[in-house]
Amino acid sequence: MTKERLYLYDTTLRDGQQTQGVQFSTPEKAQIAEVLDALGVDYVEGGWPGANPTDSEFFDAKPQMDATFTAFGMTKRAGMSAENDDVLAAVMNAGTPAVCLVGKTHDFHVETALGITLDENTDNVARSIAYLVAQGREALFDAEHFFDGYKSNPDYALEVVKAAYDAGARWIVLCDTNGGALPNEVHAITKAVIDAGIPGTHVGIHTHNDTEHAVANSLAAVDAGARQVQGTLNGLGERCGNANLTTLIPTLLTKEPYASAYEIGVSMEALAGLTRASRLLDDILNRVPMKQAAYVGASAFAHKAGLHASAILKDPSTYEHVEPSVVGNERVIPMSNQAGQSNLRKRLTDAGLEVEKGNPALSAILNRIKEREAEGYSYDTAQASFELLAREELGLGENFFDVERYRVISERRRNARGHLVVESESVVTVQLPSGKKTTSYFKNEHSDEMSDDGPVNALWQALRQDLGPYQDVIQDVRLVDFKVRITNGGTEAVTRVIIDFEDDGGRRWATVGVSANIVDASFQALLEALNWKLVRSGAVRAG
């Protein structure tokens, strides 16, 4: 049986950025685009060129990818030609092979929001799409508020999308912009569009999750004949979010009738990276991943002790609809010592530590992790801290140096030019095999207004300034990201700090520190980073 091609269009970098509290930097956009491309989506929508400096900078960088890089914009405005519309020109100047233009299809929005006639709106859509095609771009038309528009005035809604299709649009994307449609409505209206003369191979679906039906609505559109599905990683998006690609992709690949009927750009091999992609996005956003997220959540394959756990140990399919490893996730049975050790041994193997089944150290490590997590630690992303803890319990720990004391002071004042500055100074005393060594750091003026003169940076600079015989090993360690989370509320809240590091060899690792004092939590993470670097570099304790 020949499978039909189903295309995936990701709009995380544009529609996803409309999520409250989300704002991507240009490097973060590049990092997410790389992950999406590796996953195998067909289109990556980069944003709206000209709408803000970050989007414009991202398009100027022109990231290389196998996916079709797409710019987003709006149809030309009434009263001017497509060639002379400066907003449309900014989108065209981005130079992407594909351009997606949003336009009105709901008569109420045309007459009320735009204040133009229905005929003028249809003409704006047709001329804008024709202009894209004439310039050699693949044209997509986002039919905004289409389902509401169709229910209000089906003849006009169809008139607009047919005008876009006749003008050369490769894709007519039906948008449930307000997120209020239900699956039966989406199916019926999508089928009506196809019956009206727009082939399903040119119809896409874009849904929002305001009734928790975004994924179901997307599948309903596919059932009706649509062959492009739009969505975002982790369901990011305005209000309640968009259709979640981390749910849609594995559903299309593993569930019938979709698995047998359709081919998508994501391979089963690439699907194993889905959980990593999901958690990377949350990590970039400094958000706590949703444990109950389908397929990729930490609890998606978690089974408590009792009937479920007993059955899982005999045959996982008794309480799992898909093997966790298929999506790069893991099975968790919190109350089962044996299953917990199995997962632990896998993490140890990933850290380069082979531990035989039944080794009593495994139980000690598990108990230690549970104790630490109760205190606020988290080892999901802090693999280096996990490895150091495990090495200690396995008798493989190495104490290269001890910190006897540290002091850090931050001062906010006006400098000689009358500018407010914040300056920090620190002193760290370490006990090395050769004896005590005290180093200090103080920066008395800003060389750059955005330079880091905070207490954590001051401690980092003092700590790594001179570690005696280990200095050559730790010299290339760089702090690249810093995340703070509060694990309980109030002014006496416990603070968790996770810090990412990298070195000249391209290695990247993360450590965690926990304390009621944010500076001390940070200092713990700094210490563990240097210890991990020394361990992994094969350093030998001096003396």
Side-chain angles (χ1 to χ4, degrees):
M1 176 181 176
T2 303
K3 294 184 178 183
E4 285 191 73
R5 186 68 160 89
L6 195 61
Y7 294 86
L8 299 176
Y9 184 106
D10 181 273
T11 180
T12 303
L13 301 179
R14 198 270 306 174
D15 226 350
Q17 190 167 249
Q18 294 180 15
T19 307
Q20 186 177 15
V22 169
Q23 183 62 52
F24 298 122
S25 67
T26 301
E28 287 170 343
K29 280 201 164 197
Q31 189 178 7
I32 296 167
E34 184 179 350
V35 169
L36 292 168
D37 193 39
L39 197 58
V41 301
D42 299 290
Y43 295 82
V44 172
E45 187 178 77
W48 190 325
N52 58 72
T54 299
D55 279 6
S56 297
E57 184 180 338
F58 182 56
F59 282 98
D60 288 342
K62 291 183 171 55
Q64 297 301 307
M65 61 181 78
D66 292 326
T68 301
F69 192 31
T70 309
F72 183 88
M74 60 184 287
T75 55
K76 79 172 189 69
R77 290 165 291 178
M80 60 179 63
S81 66
E83 293 82 357
N84 293 323
D85 189 308
D86 56 334
V87 176
L88 186 53
V91 177
M92 293 297 292
N93 290 339
T96 57
V99 175
C100 181
L101 296 183
V102 62
K104 304 291 187 184
T105 56
H106 189 176
D107 56 357
F108 169 73
H109 282 267
V110 172
E111 295 173 328
T112 304
L114 296 182
I116 60 176
T117 68
L118 300 184
D119 287 342
E120 282 180 305
N121 180 66
T122 303
D123 184 65
N124 288 342
V125 170
R127 290 183 182 276
S128 299
I129 296 297
Y131 176 60
L132 297 186
V133 175
Q135 298 299 312
R137 309 297 174 83
E138 179 178 343
L140 297 90
F141 176 61
D142 252 19
E144 189 181 34
H145 295 285
F146 182 79
F147 293 96
D148 292 330
Y150 185 91
K151 286 184 280 187
S152 169
N153 187 339
D155 291 339
Y156 183 69
L158 287 173
E159 174 188 310
V160 177
V161 295
K162 287 173 72 175
Y165 177 68
D166 291 340
R170 169 65 181 90
W171 293 104
I172 302 298
V173 184
L174 310 180
C175 301
D176 181 27
T177 308
N178 287 353
L182 297 177
N184 62 315
E185 296 174 313
V186 171
H187 184 280
I189 294 173
T190 301
K191 190 173 185 302
V193 171
I194 295 171
D195 291 343
I198 300 177
T201 52
H202 290 260
V203 174
I205 181 70
H206 179 112
T207 62
H208 283 258
N209 205 35
D210 297 73
T211 63
E212 286 283 0
H213 284 86
V215 169
N217 284 342
S218 298
L219 294 174
V222 172
D223 292 342
R227 293 298 175 259
Q228 186 197 87
V229 179
Q230 297 197 354
T232 60
L233 279 182
N234 293 350
L236 289 184
E238 197 167 16
R239 302 186 312 278
C240 303
N242 289 40
N244 192 341
L245 287 181
T246 55
T247 302
L248 276 167
I249 290 172
T251 297
L252 292 170
L253 275 174
T254 66
K255 303 298 180 183
E256 297 297 346
Y258 308 105
S260 296
Y262 304 109
E263 176 188 3
I264 63 175
V266 181
S267 66
M268 290 300 295
E269 292 75 19
L271 184 63
L274 187 68
T275 298
R276 176 186 171 275
S278 170
R279 293 178 184 175
L280 174 67
L281 178 62
D282 282 328
D283 198 41
I284 288 172
L285 296 174
N286 196 21
R287 304 199 320 177
V288 178
M290 190 171 75
K291 288 185 176 182
Q292 284 73 33
Y295 294 102
V296 298
S299 298
F301 301 97
H303 310 276
K304 275 196 171 183
L307 180 63
H308 288 208
S310 175
I312 283 289
L313 291 174
K314 296 172 183 175
D315 187 336
S317 65
T318 52
Y319 284 96
E320 289 177 352
H321 67 103
V322 67
E323 168 64 37
S325 62
V326 168
V327 293
N329 209 340
E330 294 181 339
R331 180 177 301 115
V332 178
I333 304 182
M335 301 305 292
S336 168
N337 222 19
Q338 189 63 32
Q341 289 191 10
S342 176
N343 288 339
L344 176 60
R345 289 177 64 221
K346 183 181 183 303
R347 286 200 70 180
L348 291 171
T349 299
D350 292 342
L353 299 170
E354 296 293 339
V355 182
E356 293 182 0
K357 184 177 180 180
N359 189 319
L362 293 173
S363 294
I365 295 171
L366 277 175
N367 291 334
R368 182 87 177 277
I369 288 174
K370 290 177 183 178
E371 291 171 2
R372 301 277 277 182
E373 288 183 342
E375 295 170 4
Y377 288 84
S378 174
Y379 295 99
D380 286 347
T381 57
Q383 176 69 11
S385 289
F386 163 78
E387 182 182 334
L388 291 176
L389 181 152
R391 284 179 175 275
E392 185 178 332
E393 293 297 331
L394 290 167
L396 301 175
E398 187 68 82
N399 186 28
F400 295 98
F401 62 93
D402 291 313
V403 174
E404 184 173 290
R405 62 188 292 270
Y406 73 78
R407 183 179 73 245
V408 61
I409 299 172
S410 292
E411 179 186 14
R412 184 176 188 265
R413 64 176 180 82
R414 291 191 180 275
N415 63 13
R417 290 175 290 178
H419 298 156
L420 275 174
V421 295
V422 178
E423 298 167 344
S424 297
E425 59 181 289
S426 64
V427 177
V428 177
T429 299
V430 298
Q431 180 71 51
L432 293 162
S434 58
K436 290 183 183 180
K437 183 178 287 289
T438 299
T439 52
S440 60
Y441 172 82
F442 175 64
K443 189 173 183 180
N444 58 12
E445 275 294 345
H446 278 269
S447 58
D448 179 344
E449 288 187 4
M450 296 301 291
S451 64
D452 186 354
D453 282 341
V456 176
N457 179 61
L459 281 171
W460 174 240
Q461 297 301 336
L463 178 63
R464 65 190 294 271
Q465 193 175 116
D466 186 0
L467 279 182
Y470 311 121
Q471 189 61 28
D472 288 344
V473 178
I474 61 99
Q475 189 65 40
D476 64 341
V477 179
R478 296 181 295 278
L479 190 158
V480 295
D481 200 4
F482 182 89
K483 295 178 284 292
V484 179
R485 289 178 183 158
I486 305 302
T487 61
N488 61 358
T491 56
E492 298 180 359
V494 173
T495 303
R496 177 195 304 145
V497 171
I498 296 177
I499 307 181
D500 289 344
F501 301 83
E502 67 180 6
D503 61 17
D504 288 347
R507 288 185 296 189
R508 188 158 181 165
W509 64 99
T511 56
V512 59
V514 169
S515 173
N517 184 308
I518 187 174
V519 174
D520 192 57
S522 305
F523 193 70
Q524 291 177 35
L526 297 176
L527 285 176
E528 295 217 333
L530 295 182
N531 274 300
W532 184 89
K533 168 70 170 180
L534 291 168
V535 167
R536 278 302 186 98
S537 299
V540 177
R541 188 175 186 275

